Amino acid sequence: GNSVTQMEGPVTLSEEAFLTINCTYTATGYPSLFWYVQYPGEGLQLLLKATKADDKGSNKGFEATYRKETTSFHLEKGSVQVSDSAVYFCAGTYGGTSYGKLTFGQGTILTVHP
Amino acid sequence: NAGVTQTPKFRVLKTGQSMTLLCAQDMNHEYMYWYRQDPGMGLRLIHYSVGEGTTAKGEVPDGYNVSRLKKQNFLLGLESAAPSQTSVYFCASSRAGHGEQYFGPGTRLTVT
């Protein structure tokens, strides 16, 4: 079936470090891809999205490029801040946009230390 | 513009009790969803609705029922709560034909 897989385990970085969180998807059709962020005690917020191959989504210094050849949508940020500490979810919509059902990865906890 | 709201924020139930979670959105979105979030498992879709009066099963529907009598509201019911339903429940909504979903703040449910 359709699936989205994120890198396992929490990520701990120092402020201003470079961030990469890996995400891969199954290539059944051409899903739209998303990164959501969940701050402590809150719901999920859309961080960025890409709807077709080679698209780059970006927001708040975060970027991710839809790579069809590697079925990947890795999240990157050049210099993280303490305020970026949160849980990050990769997600994709399969079955077209008729009802937008999202398939989520398991989430990656990011902790940034001063 | 409140976006997506959920009530209650917290609830503790005993096994066998029933309850209803309410989700409301003021964005005039056609689609609404209920998810549960468990540690290490991301979010899993319970039920969803593509319009007023219509509902459909998601990935983990057993033990839950839903209703969408008004476009802006989506109710999730537990008829006989079980400890396995201890989780955080999120409601979301989206426009028809658009993948991005808007989430509520969540309801933390504990079943003892």
Side-chain angles (χ1 to χ4, degrees), chain B residues 1-18:
Chain B
N1 193 343
V4 180
T5 58
Q6 294 182 232
T7 52
K9 287 186 167 50
F10 303 94
R11 185 72 187 268
V12 178
L13 289 179
K14 294 187 188 307
T15 297
Q17 288 185 319
S18 63

Side-chain angles (χ1 to χ4, degrees), chain B residues 9-82:
Chain B
K9 287 186 167 50
F10 303 94
R11 185 72 187 268
V12 178
L13 289 179
K14 294 187 188 307
T15 297
Q17 288 185 319
S18 63
M19 76 163 294
T20 301
L21 282 65
L22 172 63
C23 175
Q25 53 96 4
D26 62 2
M27 296 173 283
N28 203 33
H29 285 170
E30 291 80 9
Y31 301 157
M32 296 186 75
Y33 314 82
W34 276 107
Y35 294 91
R36 60 178 288 173
Q37 183 180 30
D38 301 294
M41 301 187 74
L43 276 77
R44 293 180 292 169
L45 183 65
I46 305 171
H47 287 281
Y48 64 98
S49 168
V50 298
E52 184 178 322
T54 70
T55 63
K57 294 180 180 179
E59 184 184 357
V60 287
D62 293 343
Y64 305 95
N65 56 76
V66 289
S67 64
R68 185 133 180 239
L69 299 179
K70 294 183 179 180
K71 185 177 184 179
Q72 63 268 34
N73 295 338
F74 195 29
L75 279 63
L76 178 71
L78 286 72
E79 289 187 349
S80 179

